Amino acid sequence: PMRPITFALLALLASAAGAAASCDESMTGFFDSDIKSQAWTDIAHGNARAVKESLADDPCYALMRAADGRGPLFWAHEFDNEAIIAALVAAGADETAKDKQGLTPGQMPKAPPLTFQAPEDEEHYSYDADYDEAFDAHAAAGGADHSEMRR
């Protein structure tokens, strides 16, 4: 007899594989968009709840890629957020995917800690220009420049 946990794991893997097969170019193509910018913002600010809600709304969220070839799993590694990494991997994010520079998500350099974390009890968040200073300093220090994703 199949154990319930084994069945659940197989169902999750089948779901992730199905999502990968049905995702269109608007999510997986190497270009920037508003939804990809919002995903980066949510991940950069540690908003695990928004990421999980986005995954529930659209499993292709786990597979999206921006113009630099990076996507949610890359950003979650960059901002060293284990909860978001786990949610993305469970949803089918590809841990072996490579960006345009040939880096995998796990090879992303770590970003400096942010001074803002999204509260878990609020519906929407507002990130203003004050928080951009941390990202600009990170880019100046040789980290990934995500300025195109913030604007």
Side-chain angles (χ1 to χ4, degrees), residues 56-143:
D57 288 344
D58 185 356
C60 293
Y61 179 100
L63 303 173
M64 78 169 81
R65 304 291 281 278
D68 60 4
R70 297 175 182 164
L73 190 58
F74 289 85
W75 306 324
H77 275 281
E78 180 178 6
F79 292 101
D80 203 23
N81 190 310
E82 293 299 324
I84 294 176
I85 291 169
L88 291 165
V89 170
D94 184 359
E95 295 179 277
T96 63
K98 293 189 177 187
D99 68 5
K100 285 187 171 181
Q101 295 179 346
L103 297 175
T104 64
Q107 294 173 321
M108 289 296 298
K110 302 302 180 221
L114 296 179
T115 58
F116 175 83
Q117 287 267 330
E120 291 293 323
D121 60 344
E122 291 187 25
E123 187 94 8
H124 299 284
Y125 312 98
S126 174
Y127 309 108
D128 62 30
D130 292 343
Y131 299 112
D132 287 345
E133 292 177 20
F135 300 113
D136 294 338
H138 173 62

Side-chain angles (χ1 to χ4, degrees), residues 3 7 10-11 15 24 27 29 34 44-46 79 90 101 110 120 125 132 135 143:
R3 295 180 182 168
F7 181 75
L10 289 174
S15 171
D24 65 29
M27 292 297 271
D34 289 344
H45 290 282
F79 292 101
Q101 295 179 346
K110 302 302 180 221
E120 291 293 323
Y125 312 98
D132 287 345
F135 300 113

